């Protein structure tokens, strides 16, 4: 939830910078985004600690015995793994439902500002206000859903499925 919310914040910040600085010169937003991103990447490279791979997987006891023996967990990805993933009905359902959903969200993220300004005639300030409202709602929904989903995980699988279904229905109403 935190990673997805941070990604959404980045998209929102990029739209704001492009709107505000792009009106001066189209090159400025690229520079304004690139320099802090490069500095942040360097700081992460030098100071961030890599999380233990597989640290939250089932069988933590086995994993800790494996690591205490001096071995490192190294997940493998082979053709056999890919075949197993593609034959899993749950994975196929997730993939099939995700692709059509990505198209409208991609269009909304990329073109909503132009649509609001060019087609609806909103001022740039009003368009940014609308985008801010959309981004804030998405941010709150991602964090709330992530934390509630984590609480429900491991319990009755029907509860998490019901929660996901209710959230998908509820989010369509205000949109």
């Amino acid at each position: 939830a935190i990673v997805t919310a941070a990604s959404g914040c980045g998209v929102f910040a990029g739209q704001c910078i492009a709107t505000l600085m792009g009106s001066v010169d189209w090159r400025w937003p690229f520079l304004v985004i690139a320099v802090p991103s490069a500095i942040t990447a360097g700081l992460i490279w030098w100071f961030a600690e890599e999380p233990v791979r597989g640290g939250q997987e089932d069988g933590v006891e086995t994993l800790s015995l494996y690591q205490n023996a001096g071995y490192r967990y190294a997940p493998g990805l082979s053709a056999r793994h890919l075949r197993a993933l593609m034959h899993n009905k749950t994975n196929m359902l997730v993939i099939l439902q995700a692709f059509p959903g990505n198209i409208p969200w991609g269009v909304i993220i990329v073109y909503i500002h132009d649509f609001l300004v060019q087609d609806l005639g909103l001022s740039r300030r009003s368009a940014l206000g609308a985008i801010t409202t959309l981004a804030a709602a998405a941010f709150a929904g991602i964090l709330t859903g992530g934390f509630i989903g984590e609480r429900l995980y491991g319990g009755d699988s029907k509860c998490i499925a019901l929660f996901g279904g209710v959230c998908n229905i509820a989010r369509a109403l205000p949109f």
Side-chain angles (χ1 to χ4, degrees), residues 41-103:
L43 291 172
I44 290 171
W45 178 265
W46 289 107
F47 296 112
E49 185 176 318
E50 183 75 21
V52 176
R53 293 197 181 270
Q56 294 186 359
E57 291 184 10
D58 292 338
V60 174
E61 297 84 16
T62 305
L63 182 64
S64 66
L65 288 172
Y66 188 77
Q67 289 173 341
N68 290 337
Y71 297 109
R72 266 186 94 164
Y73 176 75
L77 186 62
S78 66
R80 183 178 59 86
H81 290 108
L82 293 174
R83 272 194 305 279
L85 288 171
M86 291 303 172
H87 289 295
N88 183 306
K89 291 179 182 178
T90 302
N91 290 344
M92 290 308 297
L93 182 62
V94 168
I95 290 168
L96 289 174
Q97 69 82 31
F99 279 123
N102 284 331
I103 294 168

Side-chain angles (χ1 to χ4, degrees), residues 27-52:
R27 295 175 194 98
W28 278 106
F30 292 98
L31 184 63
V32 168
I33 294 294
V35 171
S37 295
I39 292 168
T40 304
L43 291 172
I44 290 171
W45 178 265
W46 289 107
F47 296 112
E49 185 176 318
E50 183 75 21
V52 176

Side-chain angles (χ1 to χ4, degrees), residues 45-174:
W45 178 265
W46 289 107
F47 296 112
E49 185 176 318
E50 183 75 21
V52 176
R53 293 197 181 270
Q56 294 186 359
E57 291 184 10
D58 292 338
V60 174
E61 297 84 16
T62 305
L63 182 64
S64 66
L65 288 172
Y66 188 77
Q67 289 173 341
N68 290 337
Y71 297 109
R72 266 186 94 164
Y73 176 75
L77 186 62
S78 66
R80 183 178 59 86
H81 290 108
L82 293 174
R83 272 194 305 279
L85 288 171
M86 291 303 172
H87 289 295
N88 183 306
K89 291 179 182 178
T90 302
N91 290 344
M92 290 308 297
L93 182 62
V94 168
I95 290 168
L96 289 174
Q97 69 82 31
F99 279 123
N102 284 331
I103 294 168
W105 282 111
V107 170
I108 288 169
I109 289 170
V110 172
Y111 294 111
I112 191 166
H113 184 267
D114 287 338
F115 172 73
L116 294 174
V117 172
Q118 300 293 330
D119 295 346
L120 295 184
L122 269 63
S123 68
R124 289 179 183 209
R125 186 180 196 134
S126 296
L128 272 180
I131 292 169
T132 302
T133 303
L134 178 64
F139 184 79
I142 288 167
L143 287 180
T144 304
F147 290 123
I148 292 173
E150 187 177 2
R151 294 272 190 265
L152 294 174
Y153 183 75
D156 185 13
S157 62
K158 291 179 183 176
C159 289
I160 199 164
L162 183 63
F163 173 69
V166 168
C167 286
N168 279 320
I169 292 168
R171 75 179 182 172
L173 298 176

